[in-house]
Amino acid sequence: MFEWMAWTLPVAVFFTCIVLMIAGMTLWEIKSPTLVRRGFLPMDTTRGDRLFIGLLAAAYVNLAFVGLSGWMAQGLSLDAEPSIWYSFVASMVLLVWIMRKA
């Protein structure tokens, strides 16, 4: 059923983190309802809004890394393309930053 997708360890970890974040946010929302606040984004957001925006940003970071990794390997004269773990860590840092500051 999922033969079309390249299920590597980083991909599995990324999707596992997303599922765990959504489950955690659901439990957090049940225990402590969210308050609307305004951060650096020009709109009022809730925790769920910030999670959604952060997940979109994380996906774009990973897609950009996949798209540019061949160019990086060639431009930096690397033997192989850089590890996808770099983009995973960068996307998670961006997600945490958005959740805290947006």
Side-chain angles (χ1 to χ4, degrees), residues 1-2 12 14 17 23 38 42 50 56 70 74 76-77 83 88:
M1 178 171 156
F2 292 109
F14 182 75
C17 287
R38 183 177 288 243
R50 292 186 296 274
L56 281 176
Q74 185 180 23
L76 299 174
S77 301
S83 173
F88 174 75

Side-chain angles (χ1 to χ4, degrees), residues 20-39:
L20 291 174
M21 278 187 277
I22 291 172
M25 290 291 288
T26 301
L27 294 174
W28 190 8
E29 186 66 28
I30 291 170
K31 183 173 168 78
S32 169
T34 187
L35 298 173
V36 178
R37 72 175 193 197
R38 183 177 288 243

Side-chain angles (χ1 to χ4, degrees), residues 85-96:
W85 288 108
Y86 295 123
S87 69
F88 174 75
V89 170
S91 65
M92 290 300 108
V93 168
L94 177 62
L95 176 68
V96 168

Side-chain angles (χ1 to χ4, degrees), residues 8-11 61-63 65-66 69 81-91:
T8 62
L9 181 61
V11 171
V61 166
N62 281 296
L63 286 173
F65 185 84
V66 168
S69 62
E81 292 184 358
S83 173
I84 197 77
W85 288 108
Y86 295 123
S87 69
F88 174 75
V89 170
S91 65

